[in-house]
Amino acid sequence: MTRPVTARVPAKVNVQLAVGGRRPDGFHDLANVFLAVGLHDEVTATPAETLRVTVEGTDAPHVPTDHTNLAARAAVALAARHGIAPDVHLHIAKDIPVAGGMAGGSADAAGALLACDALWGTKTSLTELLALCADLGSDVPFSLVGGAALGRGRGELLTPLETGGTFHWVFAVADGGLSTPAVYRECDRLREETGAGATVDDIPDPEPSEALLTALRTGDPAALAAAVTNDLQPAALSLRPALAETLRAGAEGGALASLVSGSGPTCAFLAKDAEAAQDVATALAASGTCRTVRTASGPAPGATVITP
């Protein structure tokens, strides 16, 4: 019998999320600087008579186990590419917060692609896998490659970035999630409310910060802290005003930078070093402003098969 295959996949934090205007297709062009961090989901693929998904972990009740699950959709897409049936049991051990702006669902999709490819012996090229990832979602390609990268287009067009050191992060996980489409709609609404407009004709094309790219390359946390930005943060705070208290608690706890991670509601805090990260985590845990607190460092490797 074919042995199960497990893939481990990291979470991400957006150290820059520059959002362009709304395109005619409803999407937004991005300059999205991703950093993979050491919180992981593990996706195990086992031969089965039909496709099924099971999930374990604290947030497991909030993860769909039908064919809408992004990992299930990934298995279906890979099987269709090779003309085979997607008969596999996908078991997801979740450690990345659900609906938290840290690409947990995207990580599961990338993990499913890698695990199923190894299980089925389909030997799909990286180029093909990245194309499948891009079809599944904007963050899925980065979940596959990890490290640090600049995402263009919807975030799926990746350019690897050099990093010169390890960056230490603290993540404050909120109760409940935030819908990414809802956050983008609120971003558009807030822009229109100011009179600036919200379409590609109104908003300049997004560009990565040279200061931020230099800080990543040199491994300088203080310089990175001065350059991190998230254009979706005002929208996330508008939809979830309580996040402002979380951001304040992390800053008062000694974080070099405090920001909403992606579309939220997880908040990310950059610390000087591992010891400072523990101090920030302690302050956040005592603040009562979040459900739980996690520490992690990056960059972390992308999706990796951890069992033969």
Side-chain angles (χ1 to χ4, degrees):
M1 180 177 174
T2 305
R3 295 176 61 187
V5 176
T6 299
R8 176 180 292 153
V9 201
K12 60 83 179 168
V13 61
N14 303 94
V15 292
Q16 181 186 3
L17 182 50
V19 179
R22 185 178 61 250
R23 306 186 320 204
D25 64 2
F27 288 104
H28 299 70
D29 284 321
L30 305 175
N32 195 352
V33 181
F34 296 103
L35 184 71
V37 295
L39 297 177
H40 298 89
D41 283 0
E42 293 184 358
V43 183
T44 299
T46 304
E49 293 183 357
T50 188
L51 174 62
R52 68 187 186 99
V53 177
T54 53
V55 186
E56 67 172 288
T58 304
D59 288 345
H62 305 293
V63 180
T65 55
D66 59 12
H67 287 200
T68 66
N69 183 289
L70 207 54
R73 290 171 52 198
V76 169
L78 181 67
R81 175 66 62 97
H82 294 286
I84 61 177
D87 296 335
V88 64
H89 170 207
L90 297 174
H91 181 72
I92 303 170
K94 281 217 69 74
D95 195 39
I96 302 173
V98 172
M102 299 185 73
S106 297
D108 296 342
L113 284 175
L114 203 63
C116 288
D117 189 53
L119 181 74
W120 296 334
T122 39
K123 298 181 179 178
T124 312
S125 70
L126 178 60
T127 300
E128 286 181 289
L129 286 174
L130 286 170
L132 289 169
C133 286
D135 287 342
L136 289 162
S138 301
D139 289 345
V140 183
F142 179 71
S143 295
L144 186 71
V145 301
L150 169 64
R152 293 283 204 171
R154 293 179 286 108
E156 82 282 13
L157 306 173
L158 298 176
T159 302
L161 296 175
E162 182 183 352
T163 54
T166 299
F167 297 94
H168 296 273
W169 294 87
V170 182
F171 298 97
V173 182
D175 277 315
L178 271 176
S179 159
T180 297
V183 174
Y184 274 96
R185 287 194 297 271
E186 182 68 359
C187 178
D188 291 341
R189 188 190 71 79
L190 291 174
R191 285 173 168 178
E192 289 167 347
E193 195 175 67
T194 66
T199 71
V200 289
D201 296 325
D202 306 312
I203 306 294
D205 290 340
E207 293 293 339
S209 160
E210 287 301 325
L212 183 138
L213 298 183
T214 299
L216 283 175
R217 189 167 57 250
T218 58
D220 186 338
L224 182 63
V228 295
T229 56
N230 179 3
D231 286 356
L232 292 181
Q233 182 162 311
L237 289 171
S238 176
L239 295 174
R240 191 74 68 83
L243 295 180
E245 293 300 317
T246 310
L247 293 172
R248 186 176 300 113
E252 292 174 351
L256 296 177
S258 306
L259 73 161
V260 174
S261 180
S263 58
T266 296
C267 293
F269 303 88
L270 180 61
K272 178 183 177 182
D273 51 31
E275 183 179 356
Q278 288 300 326
D279 291 341
V280 174
T282 299
L284 282 163
S287 73
T289 63
C290 53
R291 175 164 60 89
T292 189
V293 180
R294 306 292 303 279
T295 59
S297 61
T304 307
V305 172
I306 59 173
T307 57

